Amino acid sequence: MGSHKEVSRRQFLSAAAGSTAASLLARPAFSLAHETFSNAGTLDVGSNAAAMLPWQDQGVINTANSPYAKLHSVPVHAVTIDEGFWSKRRATNVERSIPTMRQELEEHGRMDNFRRLVGKSSEAQKGPYFSDSDIYKWIDSVGWALQSDSLPELRRKTDSMIREVVAIQEPSGYLNTYYQGDRVALRMSQHDQEVGHEMYCLGHMIQGSIAYYRATGDTTLMDAGQRMIDNFVLPNYGPGPNQKPIISGHPEIEMALIELYRTTGKRQYVELAGYVLHGDDRWTIDPQHIKYMFCGIPFPSRTKLEGHAVRAMYACSGATDYYLETGDPAYWKTLNVLWEDLTRRQMYITGGVGARSEGEAFGNAYELPNAQAYGESCAAIGNMMWNWRMLAASGESKFADVIERALYNGINSGMSLDGTTYCYRNPLAFDPATLDGFRGSPNIRNAWYDVTCCPPNLERTFSSLPSYFYSTSKDGLYVHLYDNSNLDWHLQDGTPIKVQQKTNYPWEGSVKLTVNVSEPKEFTLYARIPGWANGASVMVNGKSEAGIKSGEYLPMKRTWKPGDVVVLNFPMHAEIVASNPRVAEDRGKVAVRRGPVIFCMEEVDQSSGIALSDVAITVSERLGKEFQNEYKPDLLGGVEVLRHEGKVFESASAEQPLYMATGAEAPRTRPGTLSFIPYYAWANRKPSAMQVWTPFVRS
Ligand SMILES: [Zn+2]
């Protein structure tokens, strides 16, 4: 189980000090002795305050001062998303999802958990031990939403919730409804650190507070988070002789600590994150837990993804954040090894991750079952968050391709089109007759889960989405995502820049970018050519660009003038996709992709009497060129529908014997037309069978 016994604490500290000295030069020495920490409780901007961006200009992650970040985020408010693909989802998120989720949280006692501790509620503690995090993730979603719209009523309600949260903070700085009151004795024990999510809840409090701060400038919740770290965690927990170990039972605190550093400038938060990512061998942890929790051994000793999928994705996100601040080459090497494992052996075609329900976990290499797939919404979101950080570190398009894949498919599927019910699992095949929606529920989408991590996670993803469209670099501007939108921001040297996008993406492949600078300015505009867009073309002011490669950013270095126009053309046609033959479940089957959108079949769309389990798609050497597509504005919020010839097995397969000699007469089939809808839109009508992977026959 890795090398967690092989590196002693002393070796770690001296190695860490050495690598820090080498890679950070003028930065403060790596030290975790608690005397070096400041115990200031309020927002105390540290030594790089002079260079700190104003709060309202900080993006979804603030890499402006990260020495190993090639790309810097733009704030949510810098990008306005206009009428188009994402506008409906985002409007629904703010008008329906966020308000109804608040009601659900209230009705299920999540706020009473706080009120109980100050005598304002007589209700018993409700929900699992990590329930506080659901409140924080919801506040996170409100924070980003407030950057796009002024929502005074929502702001007022959230301010009031934040006051109720911070009211329970103990003088020690401790704040967690599950471990206050009658469970104080269990607090931060080894067992409870492994399973009790105290650091996880603190991480979400910090992330939510930062989103809220970046929208409002209000530090109330962030101050509380800092007080818990400065006054409770740092003096008592860490590698020092008088400190107890920290186990990141569910990784999350790592990326929160680094974002807190990026917001306050207090370097000790990076050092604490580094300590947590390294693990602490003073406590012996069951090797199975080390695997499941994706923590407890030095992160760079990991060689593959395993264990609980969300934990692994959050650990990788935090480790990438740590790399962005420290440049530790061992981290970068491991992150790339794990990313190859993800994309070559572990990721669903939808960008979802987590093959097994048992442990909500990664399976073995190429173990990617469809109906049994776990594919938790949070894991696809974790995948996007990790790849966003890898993209910031490298500027490489392959990471943005994964973001797009997860966003349009495995994440977008997680929320119903009306924004009020959610998938916890996102399987790639489903039969309502098996009553296998979620832990015995027949419904794949539900308004509430007692483990309600996914709904507010989806909400914060959609409300922060504008921040993922662009990044700035030293030499210019990167365009990652395409939809009708307006960027109003500036290059890193302060030159104001506006970019308007006009498109029907993802239904059509043409994107018109109008670049507006106040006066001619030389810089490089990097436009992402998606990995799927073979044969893409690009014109600047009517002249074709050369050197276009799918799966890379096209750098266009020139003196840009006001009103310059870039037209990107991505070939947008349906394609038939096969999997690596080692994916046993997909052998003999194909999936359908059109641009970034993965399609599926729902039985409700097929001619009557056709069961999905009795169809095959007819594949000719024209490989998908026979698809007919039609945009249906009134179907499922407006979707492209694909049709293709297929075959239907004449005798219902259920009537055939289980096994037949292969030399026997080929099963009789009749021709039939198969209909496909985007995967993200499935399960929004009456319960119906669904599948992404369909057997094929050669014509
Ligand atoms: Zn979840």
Side-chain angles (χ1 to χ4, degrees), residues 306-356:
E306 58 187 347
H308 187 266
V310 180
R311 282 170 165 84
M313 292 295 98
Y314 284 16
C316 290
S317 298
T320 312
D321 278 327
Y322 184 71
Y323 167 76
L324 287 165
E325 302 308 327
T326 64
D328 188 327
Y331 273 75
W332 187 240
K333 189 172 167 214
T334 298
L335 286 162
N336 281 284
V337 167
L338 298 178
W339 190 87
E340 289 292 322
D341 190 36
L342 172 83
T343 54
R344 298 180 71 87
R345 293 177 285 275
Q346 292 283 8
M347 185 174 70
Y348 282 101
I349 193 171
T350 56
V353 288
R356 295 182 185 170

Side-chain angles (χ1 to χ4, degrees), residues 376 378 424 453-454:
E376 183 179 339
C378 287
Y424 192 106
C453 51
C454 300

Side-chain angles (χ1 to χ4, degrees), residues 128-130 292 308 310-311 356-361 372-374 376 423-425 427 430 434-446 448-454:
Y129 35 85
F130 44 79
Y292 171 77
H308 187 266
V310 180
R311 282 170 165 84
R356 295 182 185 170
S357 293
E358 169 99 47
E360 308 184 338
Q372 298 300 323
Y374 210 63
E376 183 179 339
C423 290
Y424 192 106
R425 294 177 57 219
F430 187 71
T434 65
L435 304 184
D436 192 22
F438 178 70
R439 295 182 185 172
S441 161
N443 300 320
I444 194 74
R445 297 187 187 280
N446 296 281
W448 176 258
Y449 296 87
D450 210 44
V451 176
T452 205
C453 51
C454 300

Side-chain angles (χ1 to χ4, degrees), residues 602-611 648 670 672-675:
E602 270 199 309
E603 204 159 282
V604 65
D605 293 312
Q606 314 308 319
S607 308
S608 70
I610 296 184
V648 182
R670 63 184 160 87
T673 301
L674 308 180
S675 289

